[in-house]
Amino acid sequence: MRELFLSSKNLSKLDILKELLFVTEGVFIQKLTLKYEVSYSTKIRYITELTEDLNKLFPSTDLSIKKWENTDLYFIANLQNLDIDYIIDYVRLAYIQESSLYPVTLEILSKNYSSANQLALNLDISPSKIYASIVKINSVLELFDAQITLTTSRDNFAGNETGIRFANYFLLWSIFRTKKFTQLFSYVPDNYLDITALKKSLAITGNITLSIETKLRIIQSISLYRIIFMGKQTNLPSTFYEEIELCYDPNFCFEPEIEQAIPADILLKEKKLIYFAIQGLIDDLYTFEHKEAVVKKYQHSQLAIAKNLAAFLHNFENSFSLTFTYTNYIETYYTLLLTIFYAKYINVDFTDFYDVEPSVEKFKTLNPKYEHFENSLKTFILSQKELLKLGIDLKDPKTLKQIVYLLSWSMYIAKKDQPLKIGIQISSNIYLGQAIKKTIADFIPQEGFAFTTNPDHMDILISDTYEGNYPSIYKYYFENHSNPRTWRELIAFINQVRWNRKLDWEN
């Protein structure tokens, strides 16, 4: 949801910040890659503004942007070694708070308003700006089949209740990142935010990351707020609860006093939906063993989706000459299962709400062959429509895109690359070649390379002298064995060649 709260200028400034943070040796102005194309002079202006922003946001730290004298090479001086993720999220939140949408969104999420004029008066913003903000927020909520309607009703939202909840999840997560999500609704009990029982029922015994804890608090508090305080219930068909039954853990629960406040029949349905939301939105919370157990339940069931998914994945392997490992198969089956359920019952393209777009989009720019592969993948999916006739519409661009993304990554993970054939020819001394081999073996997976002396078979040649013209061979000139940078760049070079092969979708 970053486009909702961040201007194109601030998005570009964040892109510059990330490049400077990740490329420690610095970046030339002309090499900066931004989401929105801008001129050279605009990049200079953005860097100047970003420098001022960092000075303001981190006044007591040695975090600043520097420029090498007589060049246009810029770099970050981070003398106190602040965490990169902390810097990015802290700056991002500051830019979000600059948006006129930020106070409007928070007010609408946390308080009830009967009219836009009342909201304008409370925020000291003109009614015209309030209406403009609501229109922009509604353009996003429309994708969730929801909208903001400020009326005498105590609910600021109207539309599909399931969509309203997912929209609220994403709106809050897009704002609350850098600090623990605590009380938002002044009139909501603290126990809505207490996830002690929820974590215990999810078998979380140790500490969890801040992002997972924040997401769990958001999902639980929004859900309980809508169910108990607002008296709202989701209206999903009975087939939803039947089909996801094998995904659900009956041990899942809230604090006893919360469960006692909800009628038993409503409670069970709501718990199944909330558990399903957690599965889909916090994938890293679940172990491979959990996913394996879920997949086995479906494989041993009589549900049509189980048989159809198995046939679909079998056809996928045959059509694209893949051989899934057991782990790859379980992961793909599990994720495809959830994707189909989301497409069928929630029907929101969540890829549009990631702060960083799925890297599969970048495949098109990194390797033009990917677009041809993507078209082949779409053709394959559409050819399997009978197997995927499970209540989803493959003609819906949202559904098709989600399945394409999933299978793209599944194929990327399952794809087995031939080992790189590496030749080493060092003339400076007799021991250095063996040292290079030892270093490669220490840092590159054993199945990722093999050594050869035949230039006709080489993919990479590491040498300190000219060995002839071989256009198809990647060459690395081994300059100085006493310089640590030479060794770091060697490993980075080999991994870049391996990555290029991963992106060769026709290989």
Side-chain angles (χ1 to χ4, degrees):
M1 286 227 182
R2 69 181 196 166
E3 284 81 2
L4 179 64
F5 293 106
L6 297 178
S7 65
S8 59
K9 180 176 77 170
N10 282 341
L11 279 170
S12 294
K13 286 158 67 176
L14 271 178
D15 286 339
I16 292 171
L17 176 64
K18 291 173 184 177
E19 288 219 34
L20 293 176
L21 286 169
F22 291 126
V23 184
T24 54
E25 64 269 24
V27 180
F28 287 100
I29 287 288
Q30 64 268 30
K31 295 291 186 181
L32 284 171
T33 55
L34 308 181
K35 180 178 177 64
Y36 299 100
E37 287 298 323
V38 295
S39 66
Y40 181 93
S41 61
T42 301
K43 289 180 181 179
I44 293 289
R45 177 163 55 85
Y46 285 171
I47 287 179
T48 301
E49 291 184 13
L50 180 59
T51 302
E52 295 171 355
D53 295 339
L54 293 179
N55 291 337
K56 181 176 66 175
L57 293 170
F58 303 93
S60 60
T61 64
D62 293 316
L63 179 71
S64 58
I65 298 175
K66 305 290 186 181
K67 177 176 176 291
W68 288 107
E69 190 174 357
N70 300 322
T71 72
D72 65 352
L73 178 68
Y74 290 82
F75 65 96
I76 284 275
N78 182 12
L79 301 183
Q80 291 184 251
N81 290 320
L82 295 176
D83 289 342
I84 288 177
D85 51 358
Y86 171 73
I87 296 170
I88 293 172
D89 269 7
Y90 196 82
V91 173
R92 178 185 174 278
L93 180 59
Y95 288 163
I96 284 176
Q97 291 172 339
E98 289 180 8
S99 167
S100 59
L101 290 177
Y102 174 75
V104 176
T105 303
L106 275 188
E107 286 293 303
I108 288 173
L109 285 170
S110 60
K111 298 175 185 176
N112 295 321
Y113 287 92
S114 60
S115 69
N117 287 336
Q118 183 189 18
L119 178 57
L121 183 64
N122 195 53
L123 290 176
D124 195 21
I125 298 176
S126 69
S128 61
K129 288 186 177 180
I130 292 294
Y131 281 114
S133 295
I134 290 175
V135 168
K136 190 168 183 180
I137 298 170
N138 274 340
S139 68
V140 172
L141 296 183
E142 183 181 4
L143 300 173
F144 294 86
D145 194 17
Q147 61 179 327
I148 295 170
T149 54
L150 304 183
T151 65
T152 53
S153 166
R154 64 175 182 168
D155 192 356
N156 294 331
F157 295 91
N160 180 286
E161 177 61 23
T162 306
I164 290 172
R165 293 191 199 174
F166 276 91
N168 276 257
Y169 300 157
F170 278 101
L171 283 168
L172 286 170
W173 172 241
S174 68
I175 296 172
F176 293 96
R177 296 282 190 84
T178 56
K179 54 187 178 181
K180 189 174 286 190
F181 176 73
T182 54
Q183 188 75 22
L184 174 65
F185 311 103
S186 58
Y187 40 74
V188 168
D190 290 339
N191 61 354
Y192 287 16
L193 288 157
D194 183 355
I195 57 173
T196 304
L198 182 145
K199 288 198 298 184
K200 185 176 180 180
S201 69
L202 290 170
I204 301 173
T205 55
N207 291 328
I208 54 177
T209 63
L210 176 60
S211 62
I212 289 179
E213 180 166 332
T214 300
K215 288 178 182 178
L216 287 174
R217 286 178 184 274
I218 288 173
I219 292 172
Q220 176 177 285
S221 62
I222 287 294
S223 301
L224 296 180
Y225 167 69
R226 300 291 303 175
I227 297 166
I228 301 175
F229 190 85
M230 301 299 295
K232 302 291 183 177
Q233 299 175 30
T234 51
N235 187 28
L236 289 165
S238 59
T239 52
F240 168 76
Y241 303 102
E242 294 167 5
E243 290 192 337
I244 69 156
E245 178 67 32
L246 300 180
C247 291
Y248 178 66
D249 183 349
N251 294 316
F252 181 67
C253 66
F254 306 114
E255 294 291 346
E257 61 269 26
I258 288 176
E259 298 211 350
Q260 291 166 10
I262 306 172
D265 57 332
I266 296 174
L267 176 65
L268 181 58
K269 287 185 176 181
E270 295 291 0
K271 282 166 61 174
K272 287 184 177 180
L273 174 59
I274 295 167
Y275 187 83
F276 179 67
I278 292 172
Q279 279 182 304
L281 301 179
I282 319 179
D283 178 72
D284 291 339
L285 182 62
Y286 293 91
T287 63
F288 173 77
E289 288 72 22
H290 164 85
K291 297 174 183 180
E292 180 183 39
V294 169
V295 170
K296 285 184 175 180
K297 287 179 185 177
Y298 279 90
Q299 288 175 326
H300 296 152
S301 74
Q302 300 301 313
L303 293 172
I305 192 171
K307 180 181 68 175
N308 287 14
L309 279 189
F312 175 83
L313 291 178
H314 174 75
N315 294 343
F316 179 50
E317 286 184 283
N318 288 341
S319 296
F320 291 93
S321 302
L322 295 173
T323 303
F324 281 124
T325 65
Y326 178 74
T327 300
N328 293 155
Y329 184 86
I330 294 294
E331 293 277 3
T332 301
Y333 190 113
Y334 175 86
T335 309
L336 184 57
L337 185 73
L338 293 185
T339 299
I340 289 174
F341 289 151
Y342 268 92
K344 183 174 180 178
Y345 295 107
I346 312 300
N347 197 26
V348 173
D349 181 5
F350 294 118
T351 59
D352 285 343
F353 302 97
Y354 298 140
D355 290 310
V356 179
E357 290 137 359
S359 297
V360 73
E361 281 294 326
K362 297 181 182 178
F363 288 162
K364 296 178 184 178
T365 55
L366 290 170
N367 190 332
K369 293 180 181 179
Y370 177 77
E371 191 155 6
H372 172 73
F373 163 76
E374 186 183 67
N375 290 332
S376 299
L377 194 50
K378 287 179 180 177
T379 300
F380 165 74
I381 293 170
L382 292 172
S383 74
Q384 303 294 303
K385 60 184 179 182
E386 288 302 315
L387 288 178
L388 293 177
K389 193 180 288 181
L390 301 163
I392 62 175
D393 181 9
L394 290 177
K395 294 180 181 179
D396 184 339
K398 299 193 298 292
T399 300
L400 184 59
K401 185 168 77 167
Q402 289 186 76
I403 297 177
V404 166
Y405 277 9
L406 166 61
L407 295 185
S408 294
W409 279 113
S410 296
M411 184 170 179
Y412 168 77
I413 293 169
K415 187 179 177 185
K416 292 186 179 300
D417 297 318
Q418 293 298 315
L420 290 176
K421 295 181 176 59
I422 301 175
I424 299 173
Q425 179 56 53
I426 301 296
S427 58
S428 58
N429 61 58
I430 62 173
Y431 64 80
L432 187 54
Q434 292 303 315
I436 292 173
K437 287 184 178 180
K438 173 66 165 59
T439 301
I440 292 172
D442 285 345
F443 288 93
I444 306 296
Q446 186 174 1
E447 65 275 11
F449 69 92
F451 294 117
T452 181
T453 58
N454 186 342
D456 294 331
H457 298 160
M458 287 180 190
D459 298 304
I460 292 176
L461 174 59
I462 301 166
S463 176
D464 59 359
T465 187
Y466 179 66
E467 296 291 345
N469 183 28
Y470 294 96
S472 63
I473 295 178
Y474 292 92
K475 294 182 179 180
Y476 181 81
Y477 183 75
F478 198 90
E479 181 183 6
N480 183 355
H481 73 278
S482 63
N483 187 342
R485 188 179 72 179
T486 301
W487 296 91
R488 291 197 304 268
E489 290 179 350
L490 170 64
I491 299 303
F493 177 83
I494 296 172
N495 276 324
Q496 183 61 56
V497 175
R498 296 176 67 225
W499 175 245
N500 291 344
R501 280 197 167 187
K502 273 288 187 186
L503 294 178
D504 188 355
W505 295 92
E506 292 183 357
N507 195 3

